[in-house]
Amino acid sequence: MSTDNARAAAEDSLEDYAFRYVPRTFRRWSAASVGATALGSIAFLADFSIGASIGIDHGTRNAVLGIVFASVIIVIVGVPVAYYAARYNLDLDLIARGAGFGYYGSIITTVVFAGFTCIFFALEGAIMAQGLQLATGMPLWLGYLVSTVVVIPIVIYGMRALERLQFWTTPLWLALALLPLLWIVVSDPEAVRAFTSFPGNSDGSISFGAVVSSAAVCFALTPQLAEQIDYIRAMPPRTPANSRSWWTSFVFSGPGWVIFSGTKQVIGVFLAVYLLVRVEPSLGHQATEPVKQFVVMYQTLIPDWLAIVLALVLIVVAQVKINVTNAYSGSLAWSNVFTRMAKHYPGRTIFVLFNLVIAYVLMMLDVFTLISFVLSLYANVVMAWLVTIATDIAINKRVLHISPRFPEFRRGMLHDWNPVGLVSVGLASLLSLLAFAGLLGATVKPFSVLIAIGVAFVATPVMAIATRGRYYLRRRSDGIDSPRFDEHGNPSSERLRCHVTGYTFERPDMLASAERGPRGEVQYVSSLALALDDSDRYVLPPEVTGPPRWAAARRASQRRGET
């Protein structure tokens, strides 16, 4: 490993902590400020289009029930994962390493998430291009390009720039999106009645299959949780003094993001119905386009030219708010994957551009017109992945005590691969995709995403018990005597010097180095330096980790019974 490369990576990642614990010295925002910034990223307009699409396909009642059903499941899945991120200041990749996947195994889940950021960047970019075409006549291909490059300057500067953008633009977005909608609801009761009775392309009756099919599209939004985590991992330490604000911010900006997302999806159904029933029945699929939805809504209140201007402002603000997050989180994910595989860190800027190129190609392939199919397909893998991580945290860590309770992400402490998560995700994804393709029968096809959820929930603890937890930890001791956590259970702020990079890092980010000092003293090495080390010279040797806690407790009770 090049020491210069490790130092360059340390300096470049001070702003984003792409593959590192976020230190206390960086987390200077209040819990409320972090929460407000995180919620700013859910301004995406794809929610309106998703709601409109499933509303037209399955009718209002099935669509709304599907949205509610998906939202409840997403909250349940999100609570344990988001809590570990906010409490221990880690992104989802770092959490996944110690939650059933291993040091290299989590690369698979990170690629799944990176794909999500590309898909949703493309969807949001397409919406912005539609707005530019309507307002200025700009061809779509050029609009795609403009919506792609406009986010680059903000994303390059990382978390601080994103925090300012989200803070200052959220009030404007809320005013533009909600005030006209409230006026229509109050002034046009017939529109509300048409919404509640809209049958869509079905017979209007409630069907469990239609509800699940609606939910399947919504489930594809679940990786938004990982983007929320990229913000809430910067939460301040939780103490008795800030406990109430900490929990409030966590609930609403962590798992609670789906409350706002689900509300926007229901609004999307309403706007599509409004367009088709009260404005222009011949619109067809165009009623799913947020550009058309908001222009028509504004036109009921103000002159046409001003309606187009305000709709364009709303769309541009929303697109920039979410796509800086998509580009930011995607660049973190790609750089994390590349660095661990290549043992080299070329800088996050390269991965920002890589992420944007993929998104632009998806726009040119017109992914927007296939939104329901693409998201329904993607949801199967997404739910297999996130349910596995959530189950490992909630069941394997907290109930069975097989998985280590505190998250471990450092190289040398973990096995490279853990079959618990890999088998669970692989099996759940395979069975659900077979069902989605109709290979398990037409009756089962609408429920493919439920298969992904159920198989992942069952397979994760079964695999942990079958492997007896042997593949979680390579070592139990990191060779450092001082504690990793303070008296309130927060990661310690003690700083230790990495003998490889020369920089100081906080205690949770450090291990004892296998390379002793010139006088035989213990030296410390950062997880960043270990990630870039291709020689293993600093990695401590494996140790006998002993049986999982549950097995030791059972044997102890058996011995007591014998005596």
Side-chain angles (χ1 to χ4, degrees), residues 254-308:
W257 70 270
V258 77
I259 298 171
F260 304 96
S261 177
T263 301
K264 287 158 58 190
Q265 290 165 43
V266 174
I267 292 172
V269 180
F270 174 83
L271 292 176
V273 173
Y274 181 75
L275 263 63
L276 292 173
V277 175
R278 304 288 291 167
V279 179
E280 191 175 340
S282 63
L283 275 176
H285 192 268
Q286 280 187 302
T288 67
E289 297 178 7
V291 174
K292 182 69 72 174
Q293 293 173 352
F294 283 97
V295 167
V296 171
M297 184 170 65
Y298 289 144
Q299 284 174 336
T300 63
L301 306 173
I302 55 179
D304 289 356
W305 69 268
L306 186 55
I308 292 174

Side-chain angles (χ1 to χ4, degrees), residues 178-196:
L178 297 183
L179 292 180
L181 175 70
L182 292 175
W183 173 255
I184 289 177
V185 170
V186 171
S187 64
D188 191 354
E190 283 299 320
V192 177
R193 281 191 282 272
F195 163 70
T196 56

